[in-house]
Amino acid sequence: MSIATRCRFRFDTIHDAGGTKTAMKLSAALASAAALAALAAAFLSSEPASALRAFFLAPFRTRTAFLSTLELAAPLAVCALGVIVTFRAGHYSLGGEGQAYAGAFAAALAAPILYESLGPASAPLAILVGALAGAIVSAPSAIGKRLAGADVLLTSILVSQGVIFAVDWAIGGPFRDQSSNLVAMRAIPRGALLPRLAPPSTLTAASIVALAACLIAAFYFERTRSGTAHDLYGRNQRFAELQGFDVARLSWAPIVAAGVLHGAAGAMMALGARGTAIRGMSGGIGWSAIGAALVAGSRPQALPFAALLFAWLDSGSRQAAILSDLPPDAGQAIKAIVILAVSARPAIAALRRRR
Amino acid sequence: MSALVSLLAGSLAFMAPLAPAAVGGLVTEYVGALNIALEGFILIGAFSYAAVGAVAGPVVGFGAALAITAVAAAGADLFSRKAKADPFVVGLGVNMLAPAAASIVSQSLFATKGVAAVAGLQSTLVLPGLRISDIAAFAVAAAIILAIAATPFGTRSRAAGMSPDSLAMAGLDYGKARGAAHLVSGLACGATGAALAASVGAWVPNMSAGRGWIALVAVYLGGKRLGGTVAAVALFSVMLSAAASAQAVVELPAELLLSIPYFIAALVVIVGARRTARRRGT
């Protein structure tokens, strides 16, 4: 039995969890994240009070800090949307990391060139270039699935790993800005970056695009025939075929669509706060995105909340590492434990019963 | 001739840490569990070797790597079964938690979250490209192969994967069979991690470098059979060794050469799937 077939029977946590269940998941994630953050501050820092303040308050204390946290959430939400698009079609693509990294690299490469000819209008086109790069990285998995029925989980992770090495080389080699100590490409001209909406915060139009994408996806899955076909294919391919849906298209299109979203997310990172492509900049976004998608119960409308929760954990742990001595990886560890916590069904069921 | 010897020696060096993880992945596959956490368990093994080895020496460090990783793997499976958590999601959590937790503990133990070199932990070379730790890793892989091929453990594991209900009818507990398989898988990943850390005598963040995924792919490329998995591991090892050796001959950057085996492996997966589909007439 193939991985996808086995997954299809088991991954009810990955299909649309339903409204109430999703709200419970989000609440459980928030409660466990807050409890774990408090525990981390108490046990991993020699200045627990400062660590607690920094973790819980610093990301929200000022308007600038809060808006910058929103900006952190935007690429994660778009990337997680890509995860939902593939997982709800029953394709368990794990290639988000490489696709986002390729998107960031392609956007950073294209942005200065496009800016020379198009001026400030170049940013949306640079995001499209990033999205295209993500689609190209996802193409081998899509082609393999369509023509050979190859397991997407295996091909996507292999291609992604290979692409990460290749992009590492490109950023650190021929496209490296030799004038900088950072292993990064040349800084993108300020005018080619996504416009800042509320300086001095890093908030850009990416957050609006991310929110719009989540709402459009929610409409697609819940209000359109194509969305129904997409979901049905993910749950039972044979049944979707018997219903007359275009299963041939569904065998590859969601994989490419996810590649587009992952690539766009990477481009948003390069054209947003980072201002260029930096070696290793994807920093686990592909994996965090799977976690955010699970916390959101695979519902696009819940994604902005899940992404914001993860962005708070990143921002809070970073602030706590700067303002106290909390290890900076505490945020990543908390995210992992939150994912484990929300995957435990009896705990959520017990919470629902108590309600 | 010397190039061939160098290729073979390099292949053995790549194969030593890869073989136990692949065999460990096969054991969990036998019980019908997709173990995507191999990557995280390898990191746990590598860090345990460095952390315990720094205090008690390499031999105890190797043993601790096996034991700690086995307990972690069995614990993750127990959590998955008792909390009815999706094994895929638990695996994802393990893969995210292992590097972060290692980094946090590394800061306390080694006062760095980066590379922590420990004097006396690098294993001795016994043959070109082959260290004592590699031989120990091969021994662990061989012991597991023996266990799954010639003991009731192997038979029960396969039966558990084929039909959990039949296992129950025979009076055997599916949960126990699955737990035992994960324990053995943890042992295997511990050996992989320890061999990796022993080859450089240090803990290096993310030193598994995708080996857990390659091991999982080897299981599937090998048709989830013992012989096939070992053959797939040998193929990957030769490819990785060829890519490493090519750095001295071809003027291609190291990262590009290292990316090639992954692309070839993806191609092999697709071609293999195509051939299987043709055989089935679909």
Side-chain angles (χ1 to χ4, degrees):
Chain A
M1 202 185 284
S2 76
I3 292 175
T5 313
R6 285 192 316 175
C7 292
R8 197 163 294 117
F9 290 124
R10 291 179 179 178
F11 289 178
D12 56 330
T13 45
I14 285 163
H15 289 297
D16 183 353
T20 314
K21 208 170 171 185
T22 301
M24 290 304 297
K25 268 192 175 184
L26 277 168
S27 309
L30 182 62
S32 53
L36 288 164
L39 282 173
F43 292 104
L44 298 176
S45 171
S46 60
E47 309 158 51
S50 308
L52 268 176
R53 266 197 308 275
F55 208 121
F56 283 91
L57 301 178
F60 309 105
R61 184 174 285 159
T62 64
R63 181 174 165 269
T64 301
F66 175 65
L67 294 178
S68 298
T69 305
L70 277 184
E71 177 66 15
L72 264 183
L76 182 60
V78 174
C79 216
L81 194 56
V83 173
I84 289 178
V85 167
T86 47
F87 278 28
R88 283 180 72 157
H91 302 308
Y92 300 101
S93 168
L94 300 181
E97 190 77 15
Q99 291 159 14
Y101 198 23
F105 166 72
L109 190 66
I113 303 165
L114 291 169
Y115 182 64
E116 272 182 22
S117 50
L118 297 169
S122 64
L125 275 178
I127 288 185
L128 283 180
V129 172
L132 182 66
I136 290 169
V137 175
S138 70
S141 300
I143 294 168
K145 181 67 187 173
R146 174 71 186 90
L147 299 182
D151 271 316
V152 176
L153 189 145
L154 299 181
T155 54
S156 61
I157 188 76
L158 285 169
V159 174
S160 171
Q161 292 275 348
V163 166
I164 289 170
F165 274 122
V167 176
D168 272 349
W169 160 76
I171 294 176
F175 299 102
R176 181 176 177 178
D177 177 9
Q178 299 293 347
S179 65
S180 167
N181 287 330
L182 197 65
V183 184
M185 293 169 72
R186 199 156 53 91
I188 299 168
R190 188 176 285 265
L193 297 175
L194 288 166
R196 296 263 170 121
L197 299 181
S201 81
T202 54
L203 186 74
T204 67
S207 50
I208 297 169
V209 173
L211 190 62
C214 290
L215 294 176
I216 291 167
F219 180 79
Y220 165 77
F221 279 114
E222 298 198 355
R223 294 277 183 267
T224 69
R225 184 178 148 81
S226 302
T228 307
H230 188 136
D231 243 355
L232 198 58
Y233 177 83
R235 288 172 192 272
N236 190 328
Q237 280 182 28
R238 183 81 187 116
F239 188 62
E241 195 175 359
L242 290 171
Q243 291 296 306
F245 292 127
D246 186 357
V247 291
R249 184 176 55 81
L250 286 164
S251 69
W252 63 271
I255 303 166
V256 177
V260 166
L261 288 163
H262 291 146
M268 284 173 180
M269 287 162 73
L271 297 167
R274 310 285 180 95
T276 188
I278 305 164
R279 191 169 183 161
M281 72 184 291
S282 53
I285 192 173
W287 302 109
S288 292
I290 297 175
L294 293 169
V295 168
S298 285
R299 288 169 71 84
Q301 56 270 52
L303 254 188
F305 302 104
L308 193 58
L309 172 70
F310 275 33
W312 162 57
L313 289 173
D314 280 337
S315 176
S317 59
R318 210 174 297 160
Q319 298 274 5
I322 295 166
L323 300 172
S324 71
D325 58 353
L326 190 76
D329 287 299
Q332 187 72 1
I334 293 170
K335 268 194 254 178
I337 300 173
V338 166
I339 290 169
L340 291 174
V342 297
S343 72
R345 280 177 236 171
I348 293 174
L351 279 170
R352 290 179 75 185
R353 277 197 298 275
R354 223 166 279 160
R355 230 180 160 199
Chain B
M1 191 66 186
S2 66
L4 186 65
V5 171
S6 155
L7 179 72
L8 287 176
S11 303
L12 276 179
F14 276 107
M15 199 174 174
L18 198 55
V23 174
L26 182 67
V27 175
T28 48
E29 200 54 52
Y30 274 173
V31 294
L34 171 67
N35 191 352
I36 69 156
L38 297 176
E39 187 79 3
F41 291 135
I42 292 173
L43 284 177
I44 293 173
F47 186 75
S48 303
Y49 174 78
V52 179
V55 181
V59 176
V60 178
F62 199 95
L66 264 63
I68 292 170
T69 316
V71 169
D77 176 62
L78 191 68
F79 172 77
S80 171
R81 281 186 285 125
K82 296 295 176 193
K84 293 188 168 58
D86 194 303
F88 178 88
V89 181
V90 174
L92 174 74
V94 168
N95 285 344
M96 285 176 75
L97 184 59
S103 169
I104 292 169
V105 181
S106 175
Q107 265 188 311
S108 306
L109 286 183
F110 303 121
T112 175
K113 56 175 267 180
V115 177
V118 183
L121 276 195
Q122 187 168 26
S123 188
T124 315
L125 275 170
V126 283
L127 284 170
L130 204 64
R131 296 173 186 277
I132 293 174
S133 55
D134 294 333
I135 293 170
F138 273 131
V140 170
I144 296 171
I145 287 173
L146 197 67
I148 55 180
T151 68
F153 163 74
T155 314
R156 281 175 200 164
S157 298
R158 277 192 292 271
M162 282 177 190
S163 172
D165 293 339
S166 306
L167 200 71
M169 282 166 70
L172 297 168
D173 183 12
Y174 170 73
K176 275 187 188 164
R178 198 176 120 172
H182 278 85
L183 191 85
V184 170
S185 177
L187 274 174
C189 290
T192 293
L196 284 173
S199 68
V200 289
W203 155 252
V204 182
N206 294 318
M207 67 190 310
S208 50
R211 280 180 180 81
W213 296 109
I214 295 182
L216 192 62
V217 172
V219 171
Y220 277 83
L221 268 184
K224 295 185 223 170
R225 286 191 295 269
L226 191 53
T229 301
V230 173
V233 166
L235 174 73
F236 275 121
S237 304
V238 171
M239 284 198 304
L240 287 165
S241 174
S245 306
Q247 288 173 42
V249 186
V250 188
E251 281 197 17
L252 263 180
E255 292 100 331
L256 279 188
L257 283 169
L258 287 172
S259 73
I260 293 169
Y262 291 95
F263 294 130
I264 293 176
L267 193 67
V268 170
V269 169
I270 293 168
V271 171
R274 180 78 185 144
R275 288 184 63 183
T276 308
R278 273 197 183 151
R279 267 205 306 273
R280 287 179 186 159
T282 52

